[in-house]
Each structure stands twice: as structure tokens, then as C-alpha cells.
Amino acid sequence: MDKTVEISGLSKAYTQGHEQILVLEQLDFHISRGEFVSIVGPSGSGKSTLLNIVGLLDDVYSGEIHMFGRRLEDMDEAQKAVLRLKSIGFVFQFDSLLPEFTVLENIEMPARVLKHPGTVNGLELLRRFGLEEIAHKFPMDISGGEKQRAAMLRALRNNPALLIADEPTGNLDRHNSSVILDDLRRASGLGTAVLMVTHNEEAARRADRVLRMTSGKLEELTK
Ligand SMILES: Nc1ncnc2c1ncn2[C@@H]1O[C@H](COP(=O)(O)OP(=O)(O)OP(=O)(O)O)[C@@H](O)[C@H]1O
Ligand SMILES: [Mg+2]
């Protein structure tokens, strides 16, 4: 089917001293092409742990994960690195634009690494999201909200199948949060599956589906 990510029986434990701390416990999850899913839940409940695994930043877990139709556990490091670069975009609470480059140069960075630029270039992406006027500015000369939006466009530059956003509005006021959420919605409309973790219930409700993480498990909330 068009499942972008399908997870079954995912468990993850951290070792602390002699103790094993179970963070994710037999968790099931799926997200489809172009779907916008949010995850809420208390601090320490395992949300970022899940995103790290889905983002291929952590492969120490048990369970089975299919991503873009392929079984992750069958892939080697090099294959996963390509997948991470080509098919997954990341946005975090604090933008990570490189200060010595313009917004456009920052957005073009992932395409340069890939050496196979996608069809949509950075300038076109800025136009689509109504941000062309900041293209040639440096990060220090734009607002916090604009920085976060630029970081998001950089994450979208290679037209990823999956966008992972860990508290993308955590550092923004209500207006800028709303703008970012509009952007995420637009990205999902263009076919990218968007997986967002947030502490903000209002932001969470802007997604197609809201899940709550408690005790290492996910439950679906009715909106
Ligand atoms: N590298 C690590 N080593 C040991 N324990 C860890 C590590 N990373 C996270 N943990 C623990 O795993 C649990 C889940 O952490 P996680 O970062 O996934 O929570 P979270 O839901 O993202 O919380 P927050 O909302 O505060 O970001 C916490 O108890 C945390 O202390
Ligand atoms: Mg977290």
C-alpha cells in the first residue's frame, strides 16, 4: 500500500548503569503518503526516541520497521545513509541554519550533498512558501519565525517522502507557530508524510491524526 512507515512491535531500552530502562514497549505505528500525524505526550515518554529510530539515527531496537516498502533491518549502513539523505527531512525546535550562508544557500545544502538535485530548486521552494524576499539574507538578519521556516524548507529541499519535526513550534509565538503548521500542511499536500511531536495541543490538532505517547505506547486520540 502507500504506507510510508509501518512499525510493528517496536521496543527500545536504554542501559543506565546496570539497569535497563524500557522506553518504547511493543509499539505499533504507521503513517501514509501525504499524511500529517502528530504525537503528544509527557516529557520523557519516549517521543524523541521514536523519532530518532524512524529518522534512522538509532538502530538499536527490537521490532520490525518497513519504510518506503523496504524492511529496515535488511539494510546496511550505506543504504540507510542514502535513505536518510534522500527521503527524510528533519526539523527541530531550534533552527540550525549555518550563519555564514544565506537562506538560499542553506536551503541548497542538502541538494549539494546529494549531488542529484531534485526537480524543485531552493528558490522555487521559497516562492511556493511565499518567502522569496529572504532568499539572499543571512540568518542573523531574519526573524526567529523566518529562520524556522527556512530550516523547514531546507528539510524539504530533496522532496523527502517523510518529514520528521520534533517540536518545530516549541520556540515560536502563536502566530509563527500557526504559519509553520500551515507550511507543514502544505508539505503534506505535496505528498510528504509529516510526523510531528509537539507539547502544544492546539498545534497537535492541526494534524490529520493525533497520537498520545504514554508508557512507551501510542494510542490514537479522537480529535
Ligand atoms: N541516550 C540516552 N541514554 C539513556 N536514557 C535516555 C537517552 N535518551 C533518552 N533517554 C531516556 O529515555 C526516556 C525517553 O526520552 P525521550 O527523549 O524520548 O523523551 P521525550 O518524550 O522526547 O521527552 P521531551 O518531551 O522532554 O522531549 C527518558 O526517560 C530519557 O531520560
Ligand atoms: Mg523529546
Side-chain angles (χ1 to χ4, degrees):
M1 265 236 343
D2 65 345
K3 290 272 184 292
T4 299
V5 181
E6 195 152 26
I7 294 178
S8 52
L10 176 66
S11 296
K12 162 89 188 172
Y14 286 113
T15 310
Q16 213 150 48
H18 297 294
E19 262 185 277
Q20 287 270 101
I21 301 165
L22 196 58
V23 180
L24 303 177
E25 195 179 355
Q26 288 291 322
L27 175 152
D28 299 322
F29 170 76
H30 63 90
I31 183 168
S32 303
R33 182 176 189 280
E35 194 178 24
F36 183 4
V37 172
S38 62
I39 298 179
V40 296
S43 191
S45 59
K47 304 180 299 296
S48 295
T49 301
L50 174 65
L51 293 196
N52 288 342
I53 292 172
V54 175
L56 311 185
L57 302 170
D58 178 5
D59 61 2
V60 184
Y61 60 82
S62 63
E64 197 169 86
I65 303 180
H66 284 89
M67 205 172 269
F68 323 124
R70 296 160 74 183
R71 191 171 176 271
L72 269 196
E73 296 78 35
D74 295 336
M75 294 170 67
D76 63 26
E77 276 313 308
Q79 291 171 317
K80 282 194 247 182
V82 171
L83 208 59
R84 199 157 45 223
L85 200 53
K86 275 193 171 174
S87 306
I88 305 176
F90 296 90
V91 198
F92 301 101
Q93 177 171 0
F94 299 99
D95 79 83
S96 50
L97 299 176
L98 299 172
E100 63 272 34
F101 294 95
T102 65
V103 166
L104 182 58
E105 286 165 348
N106 266 283
I107 291 174
E108 286 297 333
M109 211 79 57
R112 287 193 190 190
V113 177
L114 204 55
K115 296 193 188 83
H116 298 291
T119 46
V120 180
N121 66 35
L123 204 53
E124 174 58 26
L125 208 51
L126 281 158
R127 274 196 206 105
R128 275 192 195 174
F129 285 76
L131 282 174
E132 60 269 47
E133 72 279 7
I134 64 166
H136 304 293
K137 291 188 175 178
F138 287 88
M140 68 176 291
D141 299 324
I142 60 177
S143 73
E146 287 168 337
K147 277 189 223 174
Q148 187 63 324
R149 296 186 72 199
M152 202 204 48
L153 293 191
R154 182 180 54 188
L156 291 173
R157 173 59 178 83
N158 289 341
N159 192 24
L162 175 67
L163 181 70
I164 293 178
D166 199 348
E167 299 196 41
T169 63
N171 207 24
L172 300 178
D173 66 17
R174 198 154 175 218
H175 169 72
N176 282 303
S177 296
S178 182
V179 172
I180 282 282
L181 291 162
D182 288 341
D183 288 345
L184 293 174
R185 166 61 63 194
R186 183 172 296 136
S188 83
L190 296 170
T192 297
V194 177
L195 178 57
M196 172 179 76
V197 160
T198 180
H199 279 286
N200 182 329
E201 299 267 347
E202 192 182 328
R205 279 197 299 273
R206 299 271 293 267
D208 300 316
R209 271 196 293 141
V210 185
L211 306 175
R212 181 184 298 282
M213 178 84 86
T214 25
S215 324
K217 285 197 162 126
L218 284 173
E219 59 170 330
E220 194 120 356
L221 297 182
T222 44
K223 283 214 279 179

